[in-house]
Amino acid sequence: MNFDIARRRMIDSQIVGRGVTDRRVIEAMQKVPRHIFVEEAMSAQAYSDSSLPIGDRQTISQPYIVALMSELLQLTGVEKVLEIGTGSGYQAAILAILANRVYTVERIRPLAMRARKALDSLGLLNVNMKIGDGSEGWESEAPFDAILVTAGAPEVPEPLIGQLRPGGKLVIPIGTQHNQIMVKIVKGADGSITREKSIECRFVKLLGSCGWSDEI
Ligand code: SAM
């Protein structure tokens, strides 16, 4: 399988074909080899138009969703970004190209370890990783210019709003455990909050003290 050709087709049909226009996002998606973020047995499906299992009942998000969320953040290259839900590390790799520094939090240790390996193999040294409850953010590294939550939450976790710099953007899927709406939150210079709805989506649950409880 020629992964370069598969990736180019993915960009044309799934990313540009669905209306993503941010050149930097398109270039980052072209650069990052998605197949190294999935198990070898699944690498032939790495450029398909879908999320894929990555173990521990978690998923790597659909390429279009990764592109859309990245575009919504309107990154220019100077930002300090927080990602909640490292998963495979693929979204963190895209953010590492689009921003200056990335901080990413994952609650499942084996996933975080695999993601670290994949990111290191690409030489993406501007990604800091922590294992823990990302619904509480990463207080000691705040404030962030942008925050991306890649798991579905019942509501916006308060600590994340607090850790967003004035002028910063937060993108998060909000809704039930089965369906969410992608929401973009912008914090004004005066601390005011505006919310904009994007598309409907379906993510695994954001668990934790400011997310869903583990038992549900
Ligand atoms: N961004 C990932 C990628 O590029 O592969 C996809 C993330 S996957 C859809 C959601 C991830 O969020 C899972 O790996 C899950 O373990 C993680 N997660 C759920 N709740 C979390 C929490 N409170 N803190 C950190 N990670 C969490």
Side-chain angles (χ1 to χ4, degrees):
M1 169 149 200
N2 186 321
F3 291 123
D4 288 340
I5 294 177
R7 194 153 61 248
R8 214 159 303 132
R9 287 202 182 119
M10 171 192 89
I11 301 284
D12 290 347
S13 63
Q14 302 171 35
I15 310 299
V16 176
R18 289 216 182 94
V20 172
T21 57
D22 185 328
R23 283 284 1 139
R24 297 183 70 247
V25 171
I26 294 165
E27 279 164 23
M29 302 279 298
Q30 183 61 61
K31 254 189 217 150
V32 177
R34 192 172 191 258
H35 59 277
I36 72 157
F37 292 90
V38 298
E39 281 168 26
E40 216 172 325
M42 298 216 90
S43 59
Q45 286 147 266
Y47 298 98
S48 62
D49 191 13
S50 61
S51 58
L52 293 171
I54 54 171
D56 292 285
R57 292 187 296 139
Q58 304 303 323
T59 53
I60 177 172
S61 305
Q62 182 190 8
Y64 170 63
I65 293 290
V66 172
L68 177 72
M69 292 179 99
S70 304
E71 183 170 67
L72 287 170
L73 292 178
Q74 297 172 291
L75 299 169
T76 64
V78 299
E79 297 84 359
K80 181 175 181 181
V81 181
L82 174 66
E83 180 199 23
I84 308 304
T86 315
S88 67
Y90 178 66
Q91 173 76 74
I94 300 290
L95 293 174
I97 291 173
L98 295 174
N100 180 31
R101 281 216 82 76
V102 178
Y103 292 80
T104 182
V105 188
E106 172 56 55
R107 57 185 287 280
I108 301 175
R109 181 174 294 272
L111 290 183
M113 310 281 270
R114 280 206 292 278
R116 176 86 273 168
K117 254 197 187 160
L119 290 162
D120 287 350
S121 75
L122 295 178
L124 294 169
L125 305 176
N126 58 339
V127 181
N128 290 29
M129 194 178 285
K130 182 171 103 162
I131 295 159
D133 179 4
S135 74
E136 295 174 1
W138 193 329
E139 179 67 48
S140 61
E141 292 295 344
F144 298 96
D145 300 298
I147 300 179
L148 191 55
V149 182
T150 64
E155 57 202 45
V156 185
E158 251 337 290
L160 299 187
I161 302 265
Q163 291 171 31
L164 195 59
R165 192 189 294 283
K169 300 176 187 78
L170 162 60
V171 172
I172 178 168
I174 298 285
T176 68
Q177 295 180 31
H178 308 292
N179 279 298
Q180 303 95 34
I181 302 274
M182 193 77 77
V183 177
K184 174 174 169 178
I185 288 163
V186 181
K187 192 177 201 175
D190 58 355
S192 61
I193 295 294
T194 56
R195 280 178 177 241
E196 238 175 73
K197 288 183 184 170
S198 178
I199 61 163
E200 281 189 31
C201 51
R202 189 188 170 126
F203 276 81
V204 296
K205 288 188 281 185
L206 178 78
L207 295 170
S209 65
C210 299
W212 295 102
S213 115
D214 219 346
E215 293 95 57
I216 303 175

